[in-house]
Amino acid sequence: MKAEKIWANFSVKDAKRTRQFYTQLGFTPNKQNNYPKLASFLFGNNEFVIHFFEQGSQIDEYLPSGPKSSEIIFTLSAETEAEVKEFAAKVKEAGGNIFQEVRRDENNYYGFAFADPDGHKFNVLLMDNM
């Protein structure tokens, strides 16, 4: 699989507050963000995307809320459903733990989530409905 993009996801208590905070710090809002429970910003010269999902949204499936954890989940983009399935098979074969099976989520995105042998979390996502 050739991931064209990678971005980070955090769980936050209040997306509006987070949006205000990072705007005040001078970060550029991600124009592709259309969800009220998501604050999304571009960081650095390469415009690395960090999404801040409000608790009570889809991120709750993957990350504990609040300061209990400093873990993030990196998202790897996929181009086709076949690529998602093939990569899931590779993860299993390599000894990864798939904790969210391949499926379409509530936003109709297709993908799965896994942890590496050390427990670091990733999800693979086909955003073919954009």
Side-chain angles (χ1 to χ4, degrees):
M1 182 178 118
K2 181 181 172 191
E4 293 284 333
K5 297 177 185 176
I6 184 170
W7 59 92
N9 303 296
F10 282 108
S11 176
V12 297
K13 289 184 180 183
D14 182 349
K16 182 179 178 184
R17 181 185 66 195
T18 300
R19 194 174 300 108
Q20 290 171 342
F21 176 78
Y22 284 97
T23 298
Q24 284 181 287
L25 293 180
F27 289 102
T28 303
N30 181 358
K31 301 296 183 199
Q32 295 182 0
N33 171 21
N34 298 323
Y35 300 104
K37 290 191 170 196
L38 170 65
S40 180
F41 288 88
L42 307 175
F43 291 80
N45 292 337
N46 292 331
E47 298 186 330
F48 182 76
V49 176
I50 299 179
H51 293 312
F52 300 90
F53 287 90
E54 188 170 307
Q55 293 170 9
S57 67
Q58 67 264 33
I59 202 67
D60 291 354
E61 292 182 55
Y62 306 111
L63 295 175
S65 60
K68 298 175 195 168
S69 169
S70 61
E71 181 73 41
I72 60 174
I73 185 167
F74 284 101
T75 300
L76 306 172
S77 67
E79 294 183 20
T80 66
E81 286 188 14
E83 186 178 39
V84 171
K85 290 176 186 175
E86 289 168 13
F87 197 68
K90 286 182 182 181
V91 168
K92 285 179 183 178
E93 187 177 312
N97 173 32
I98 294 182
F99 60 89
Q100 183 65 255
E101 293 295 328
V102 174
R103 66 179 176 94
R104 286 220 176 255
D105 68 13
E106 67 273 6
N107 294 313
N108 203 32
Y109 297 138
Y110 187 77
F112 71 100
F114 70 95
D116 69 13
D118 293 304
H120 300 295
K121 297 176 182 176
F122 292 81
N123 66 354
V124 175
L125 199 57
L126 169 63
M127 297 180 11
D128 56 352
N129 64 342
M130 290 187 77

